[in-house]
């Protein structure tokens, strides 16, 4: 698959964008006119830069408001087009995008439109240019890809074809199956964009909220499957207008974009294989070979089996040790070669890393995921351009394959074991796993703060590299604004990550870091809380008003309510079960949560999150 | 008018919110349940805090999903309600908001709904509570205020009335005239919110994009006029869910909120006066007296007549002096008592203030507006809670009334003169106005960067205190993201302010301040540019590609195009006229623009703004 990207997806100057696209590994780019107009580089210089960078200049765009106009306007439009065709010759470009008319069309007549497009195609042909005509979702008379293609067929000129853009098609819920009926020679270009499903006017949606494939909710693999089955072999190019990407780091966004196409390629191949299998015709491998477009594959991974460990890091680790000890974790010893400690409670393993920078406050540094094969998972992640994390090991120690998530948390790919133990624990202490506290525990979920520039990138990262599934997006009120929350999890809930986008902090807040946490699940939360209290744990103090409201909402048994209140426990209930949990005080940017899931409760106590935020805010502001 | 605000409008804890509301001068508040639930203060403590602050506790809200349910659910709902009524007794509150059912209604039957609401009203009565029933715009069966009122009438219970919320009514484009037919005794509460007209689902629109009155596009004065004519005399309370306000400074947002109600009060009185006059019944003053609600008035101002001056400030002013001199400004002398200089070009006056902090880069510090009466305009601004700016004057010097705009620019209210001169210029140099350069000039517009937290506040500030009119909102692409742009101007264009919201700057940008500028209009821009070039002015360098595109778009006369290119001039044309302009290089965060308006061109060369941004970005990144 030939990969491409429109320069409008990225921040920076044309030169910066081109360099970033080359570094990210794109085959070609679409030049968005404004990027050229505002560039100090001449068309000839741009052509040379592209050649030097090994980037194809695959599409010049957009040419607007051409068809369905009066004769006078047609004349002006053809003159305007000729200027662009001359420019394209200097750039060495041969394809231009012409959008269906939005602003100046006054005549709704397919015959006239075809005649005008034929004139344009003829002029284009004289300059060696091909015109890719695209139906915009908000085109005045032509807003549907099948209509655009009918016009192309009517004109039947070698220099006129169509451009298919997934946004304009999927935002309108058009059926994508008829793409297969399009003559592949007449598909001059394919643009892809994903988007969250928003109910707003399609123009605003398109101009601000498009995202890269895998970061939204469109069925892009299916769209691409139809394109492949039509026999198309040209560029598949990203055209993503996104307010955040436009102001983020150019190179990093380009890599995120490239990752999305690599992933889409795999998903498209899987969709094709699945469809062929369903049709009962051939096997997956054979079905791929039937189509002229070659779709690369990736090393396959299943979803992770669970958390292997979590790692926190600090310059002074005393507070972390104290908290874990009070929660019931046992100290299992120090690593034989590194300045790290192991603490466990049942199968919940926490590494305390003492190698932080001087004065660094406690923070979550790394997570271990149990996977079938660390080597294969790492290979997949690297093909998806995940940055590799190097970790020194001695010769006889377990080698951890690590990658860096978009928020810089290190994700280590570990060899899981059927009994939930981890071989590497032998590198700690006496070389054997110790009996820990009375209660068993596992890591239930981890809550990570995401930088606002990398929220969508994180969704694609965990989806593509680690086979987690995004859950419906939520928003939680806090005293300093709405916290946007995206859960990524495995189908069985063995891995649950909560990605939170914190509001911009108020200027007067002394400590600005958004708090992150690790939650552990136990069988008997009340007992755990009582023991922790005996050990002197500082619980997050829940206001009395909360328990009154809880009682009004759930009509709880008075003794149970009194226990919740006594121990600062929070409570939630849904049709599937119940959820009890409590939070510790915060050290640095980290706190811990203990949870008990009763029945098949599958949530995170979302109705209680505002209480937690308010109390944490209050305690920060009292400092 | 009794003023109120819901605590959900503001950031912070309940206590912080209450204090901010008292400081801003609200009569009462609505307690949003979540703020109480998450508060460490008991209901009794909250009651005492409110009493100490002189704040009424006017509404407890929301009580959701009550009506149209099965008998089992009704029983649970009544129990839930009773808990809240008990809580309200402890808070000393007597009115609760009950929203039309969204989630749990299963029976669409007005008879049943009325019967259930009657049970609720009876229970409320036993606790001395009044129920204000409100139709949510997205209510499952009840989504229309007239429907909600019909139910209130059916029940006919002294403890059941309705709550009118401008958002739920105006977002659905319901006619507001029938409000006058509602029995005023049955209107238990009125909530007001404004909003920009967005085409998106009404729930998302409501939860994220509401703004304070005067910051959006709803016809709120008309809404309030109908409410007043209905005979309502209770609280008029803001309920504004806004993502930005929720994370902004609590006290400042409360003041912005209060300003919006003061302004709305005046606008409502004017609407009533206008309507009465149109009906030919009575004069404005008499019409106000007819209604039981008293509406306060403000000192009246007309729109400003023009810019009196602009002031720039720096520690080292050499670069500013050089730029102004090269543009053709003449140095008129230093002030006799202050460290400021006066530079003029015709009627364009620029003050260079040398009193900036050490190492402060050049920046726009103040603007003078010509008004009919500085004293009246200042009085109005102060009643609208604009912060007063103090400026020292000697006994015989002109006293400037100054206020501080939301972005901290100081706005001085000056006495205009019919011939465009300014009396205070005699305080400079030889005590007389000097003949300046050959060309006349005026300040055409000023472009100011707005902090993201105060963009809406700025719109209301200039609308309410200075009688400017907001124009349609625009967005301009730049290499570091979209720049959001709001023009505020007088009807004749004598004052034009462009409020720009810059994208979050890329971390790698060395100089992060968004650039602001002052534009001067001259009669012959080509001559001005030639003279400036002779004086060695550093023009912003416009790329050659721009002129090729310009030619393709406008088909310009070759000699004219060559002149534009030679002098780095930008060009725009619309149906009304033409626009020529050029920019200087930037010093500190300031640059200057010279413009020539031909015919009735009324814009700002918006198609050229991306070119300006790109070239400025490029020069910053080359530094």
């Amino acid at each position: 698959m030939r990969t491409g990207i429109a320069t409008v997806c990225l921040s920076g100057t044309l030169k910066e964008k081109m360099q970033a696209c080359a570094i990210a590994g794109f085959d070609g780019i679409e030049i968005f006119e404004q990027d050229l107009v505002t560039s100090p580089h001449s068309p000839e210089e741009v052509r040379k830069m592209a050649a030097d960078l090994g980037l194809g200049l695959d599409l010049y765009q957009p040419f607007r408001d051409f068809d369905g106009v009066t004769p006078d306007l047609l004349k002006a439009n053809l003159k305007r087009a000729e200027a662009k065709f001359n420019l394209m010759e200097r750039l060495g470009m041969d394809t231009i995008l012409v959008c269906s008319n939005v602003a100046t069309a006054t005549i709704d007549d397919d015959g006239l439109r075809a005649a005008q497009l034929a004139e344009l195609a003829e002029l284009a042909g004289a300059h060696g240019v091909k015109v890719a005509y695209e139906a915009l979702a908000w085109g005045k008379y032509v807003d549907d890809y099948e209509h655009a293609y009918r016009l192309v067929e009517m004109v039947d000129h070698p220099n006129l074809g169509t451009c298919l853009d997934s946004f304009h098609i999927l935002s309108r819920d058009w059926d994508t199956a008829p793409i297969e009926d399009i003559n592949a020679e007449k598909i001059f270009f394919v643009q892809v964009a994903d988007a969250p499903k928003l109910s707003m006017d399609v123009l605003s949606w398109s101009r601000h909220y498009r995202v890269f494939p895998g970061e939204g909710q469109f069925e892009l693999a299916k769209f691409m499957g139809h394109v492949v089955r039509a026999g198309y072999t040209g560029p598949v190019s990203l055209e993503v207008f996104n307010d955040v990407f436009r102001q983020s780091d150019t190179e990093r966004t380009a890599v995120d974009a490239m990752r999305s196409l690599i992933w889409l390629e795999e998903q498209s191949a899987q969709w094709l294989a699945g469809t062929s299998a369903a049709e009962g015709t051939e096997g997956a491998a054979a079905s791929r070979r039937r189509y002229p477009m070659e779709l690369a594959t990736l090393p396959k991974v299943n979803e992770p089996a669970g958390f292997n460990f979590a790692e926190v890091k600090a310059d002074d680790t005393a507070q972390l040790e104290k908290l874990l000890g009070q929660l019931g974790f046992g100290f299992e010893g120090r690593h034989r070669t590194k300045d790290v400690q192991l603490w466990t409670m049942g199968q919940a393993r926490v590494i305390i890393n003492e190698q932080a920078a001087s004065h660094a406050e406690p923070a979550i540094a790394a997570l271990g995921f149990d996977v079938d094969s660390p080597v294969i998972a790492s290979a997949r992640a690297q093909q998806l351009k995940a940055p590799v994390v190097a970790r020194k090991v001695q010769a006889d120690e377990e080698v951890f394959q690590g990658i860096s998530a978009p928020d810089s948390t290190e994700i280590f790919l570990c060899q899981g074991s059927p009994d939930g133990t981890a071989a590497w624990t032998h590198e700690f202490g006496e070389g054997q796993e110790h009996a820990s506290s009375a209660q068993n525990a596992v890591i239930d979920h981890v809550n990570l703060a995401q930088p606002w520039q990398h929220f969508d990138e994180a969704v694609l990262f965990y989806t593509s590299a680690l086979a987690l599934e995004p859950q419906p997006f939520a928003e939680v009120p806090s005293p300093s604004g709405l916290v946007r929350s995206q859960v990524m999890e495995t189908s069985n809930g063995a891995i649950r990550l909560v990605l939170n986008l914190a509001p911009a902090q108020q200027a007067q807040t002394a400590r600005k870091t958004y708090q992150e946490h690790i939650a552990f699940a136990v069988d008997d939360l009340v007992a755990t809380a009582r023991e922790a209290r005996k050990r002197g744990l500082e619980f997050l103090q829940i206001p009395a008003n909360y328990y009154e409201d809880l009682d009004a909402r759930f009509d709880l048994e008075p003794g149970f309510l009194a226990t919740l209140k006594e121990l600062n426990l929070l409570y939630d209930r849904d049709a599937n079960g119940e959820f009890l949990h409590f939070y510790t005080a915060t050290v640095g940017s980290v706190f811990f949560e203990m949870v008990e899931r009763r029945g098949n409760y599958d949530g995170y106590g979302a109705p209680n999150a505002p209480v937690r935020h308010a109390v944490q805010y209050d305690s920060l502001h009292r400092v």
Side-chain angles (χ1 to χ4, degrees), chain A:
Chain A
M1 187 173 101
R2 180 173 177 85
T3 56
I5 182 170
T7 54
V8 74
C9 303
L10 304 172
S11 69
T13 62
L14 181 58
K15 184 177 174 180
E16 288 170 345
K17 295 175 187 207
M18 289 173 70
Q19 289 172 340
C21 292
I23 289 167
F26 283 96
D27 297 316
I29 60 171
E30 303 173 35
I31 289 193
F32 197 70
E33 182 165 80
Q34 198 157 69
D35 284 317
L36 182 71
V37 168
T38 62
S39 171
H41 299 290
S42 70
E44 289 77 11
E45 286 168 339
V46 171
R47 180 182 194 158
K48 179 166 188 315
M49 275 199 292
D52 290 348
L53 291 166
L55 276 182
L57 298 179
D58 290 344
L59 187 77
Y60 188 88
Q61 69 127 320
F63 191 83
R64 296 190 196 279
D65 298 329
F66 174 80
D67 55 311
V69 298
T70 56
D72 273 4
L73 202 45
L74 176 68
K75 202 175 149 193
N77 284 347
L78 285 169
K79 185 155 186 180
R80 184 161 63 92
E82 186 156 29
K84 298 304 169 186
F85 295 159
N86 287 329
L87 176 66
M88 289 172 67
E89 286 183 302
R90 294 170 60 196
L91 285 161
M93 296 183 72
D94 68 2
T95 309
I96 189 168
L97 180 77
V98 173
C99 312
S100 62
N101 199 327
V102 174
T104 63
T106 49
I107 309 161
D108 186 12
D109 174 345
D110 272 355
L112 177 89
R113 257 190 293 274
Q116 296 185 338
L117 287 169
E119 276 201 67
L120 183 67
E122 191 59 28
L123 181 65
H127 290 81
V129 166
K130 297 192 301 174
V131 170
Y133 180 67
E134 173 187 73
L136 297 181
W138 53 88
K140 187 163 177 192
Y141 300 122
V142 180
D143 61 5
D144 156 6
Y145 78 96
E146 294 184 82
H147 189 181
Y149 178 56
R150 279 200 306 277
L151 289 166
V152 167
E153 278 190 310
M154 281 171 75
V155 174
D156 190 24
H157 190 289
N159 290 78
L160 183 71
T162 191
C163 169
L164 299 173
D165 179 320
S166 67
F167 184 87
H168 292 292
I169 297 169
L170 298 173
S171 66
R172 299 290 301 269
D173 279 329
W174 301 119
D175 181 11
T176 49
I179 289 173
E180 295 189 21
D181 303 329
I182 299 180
N183 174 359
E185 289 184 4
K186 290 295 181 190
I187 307 177
F188 281 4
F189 210 77
V190 170
Q191 294 176 319
V192 287
D194 203 346
K197 292 227 166 168
L198 301 174
S199 52
M200 66 194 306
D201 70 286
V202 68
L203 178 59
S204 302
W205 187 19
S206 168
R207 291 279 166 83
H208 301 288
Y209 298 102
R210 292 187 183 199
V211 285
F212 296 125
E215 296 172 357
Q217 294 168 275
F218 283 169
E219 286 189 89
L220 284 176
K222 181 165 179 280
F223 167 83
M224 273 305 301
H226 291 306
V227 167
V228 171
R229 280 160 65 131
Y232 177 74
T233 56
V236 176
S237 185
L238 297 160
E239 194 200 29
V240 171
F241 303 91
N242 180 289
D243 287 1
V244 172
F245 299 161
R246 288 179 96 129
Q247 52 182 307
S248 305
D249 179 85
T250 317
E251 287 186 24
R252 183 154 169 182
T253 306
V255 168
D256 180 30
M258 190 65 207
R259 178 180 301 140
S260 77
L261 280 187
I262 297 168
W263 177 80
L264 179 59
E265 205 168 340
E266 178 196 49
Q267 297 297 307
S268 305
Q270 286 180 10
W271 184 88
L272 284 165
T275 310
S276 298
E279 287 168 359
T281 48
E282 306 171 62
S287 77
R288 266 204 302 284
R289 278 198 300 273
R290 272 175 50 200
Y291 308 111
M293 187 189 289
E294 210 167 308
L295 293 174
T297 55
L298 291 170
K300 295 251 171 309
V301 294
N302 295 319
E303 54 182 25
F307 285 103
N308 191 285
F309 67 90
E311 179 176 318
V312 287
K313 200 167 183 175
D315 182 26
D316 179 352
T317 61
Q319 287 177 295
L320 288 169
E321 294 166 31
K322 186 175 159 194
L323 268 188
L324 287 174
Q326 289 168 332
L327 282 172
F329 276 73
F331 173 57
E332 302 293 326
R334 305 178 62 81
H335 192 268
R336 59 188 190 187
T337 62
K338 297 175 208 157
D339 287 335
V340 302
Q341 312 170 14
L342 174 62
W343 290 71
T344 68
M345 183 170 177
Q347 289 172 8
R349 287 175 287 272
V350 176
I351 290 173
I352 298 183
N353 186 330
E354 302 167 347
Q355 299 162 303
S358 178
H359 301 295
E361 291 260 26
I364 296 174
L367 300 174
F369 285 10
D370 281 336
V371 296
D372 296 342
S373 160
V375 172
I376 294 174
S378 174
R380 177 182 174 88
Q382 288 179 55
Q383 288 200 28
L384 284 158
K385 302 194 173 282
V388 172
V389 172
R391 181 158 284 203
K392 273 191 215 161
V393 285
Q394 302 288 345
D396 57 345
E397 292 169 6
E398 185 168 340
V399 178
F400 281 173
Q401 310 277 346
I403 51 178
S404 177
D407 68 351
S408 300
T409 303
E410 297 178 350
I411 306 292
F412 289 97
L413 305 160
C414 308
Q415 186 67 61
S417 68
D419 62 354
T421 59
W424 56 263
T425 58
H426 294 275
E427 298 166 16
F428 286 79
E430 299 302 315
Q432 60 192 27
E433 201 153 277
H434 297 259
S436 176
S437 77
Q439 285 234 39
N440 189 17
V442 294
I443 297 177
D444 183 84
H445 63 275
V446 179
N447 185 312
L448 297 171
Q450 303 299 303
W452 63 270
Q453 307 96 315
H454 304 304
F455 199 70
D456 296 307
E457 180 187 348
V459 170
L460 176 61
F461 172 86
Y462 288 111
T463 303
S464 64
L466 293 157
L468 302 187
E469 274 288 329
Q471 305 304 306
F473 187 74
E475 285 168 337
V476 177
S478 88
S480 44
L482 292 176
V483 176
R484 286 154 210 266
S485 185
Q486 171 68 62
V487 171
M488 305 290 307
E489 60 184 26
T490 57
S491 53
N492 63 358
I495 293 274
R496 300 170 186 267
L497 281 186
V498 184
L499 307 181
N500 276 0
L501 182 59
Q505 298 295 309
Q506 296 189 62
Q508 66 266 37
T509 306
R511 291 154 68 190
K512 292 186 187 177
T513 315
Y514 182 79
Q515 301 170 24
E516 304 188 316
H517 77 273
I518 305 168
F520 308 101
V522 294
D523 297 330
D524 183 345
L525 191 77
V526 171
T528 302
R530 285 203 195 286
E531 288 162 28
R533 193 168 60 165
K534 269 187 229 150
R535 296 188 200 98
L537 179 75
E538 189 187 338
F539 288 76
L540 193 75
Q541 297 293 307
I542 306 305
N545 297 341
Y546 167 77
Y547 295 100
E548 293 196 22
D549 181 63
L550 202 62
D551 195 32
R553 288 193 286 134
F554 291 122
D555 195 17
L556 298 171
E557 190 271 308
F560 181 62
L561 184 67
T563 301
L564 295 179
K565 193 170 175 178
E566 174 204 349
L567 294 167
N568 283 289
L569 306 187
L570 296 125
Y571 177 82
D572 190 30
R573 189 168 76 201
D574 64 17
N576 303 312
E578 293 171 295
F579 189 62
L580 281 74
H581 55 142
F582 70 82
Y583 300 104
T584 70
T586 302
V587 296
S589 64
V590 188
F591 64 97
F592 299 106
E593 179 182 5
M594 300 295 281
V595 313
E596 178 188 338
R597 294 177 181 276
R598 294 182 176 177
N600 291 313
Y601 183 93
D602 198 38
Y604 299 83
N608 301 329
V611 180
R612 188 225 335 146
H613 284 300
V615 177
Q616 287 178 332
Y617 170 95
D618 211 29
S619 64
L620 272 183
H621 282 239
R622 272 202 311 268
V623 168

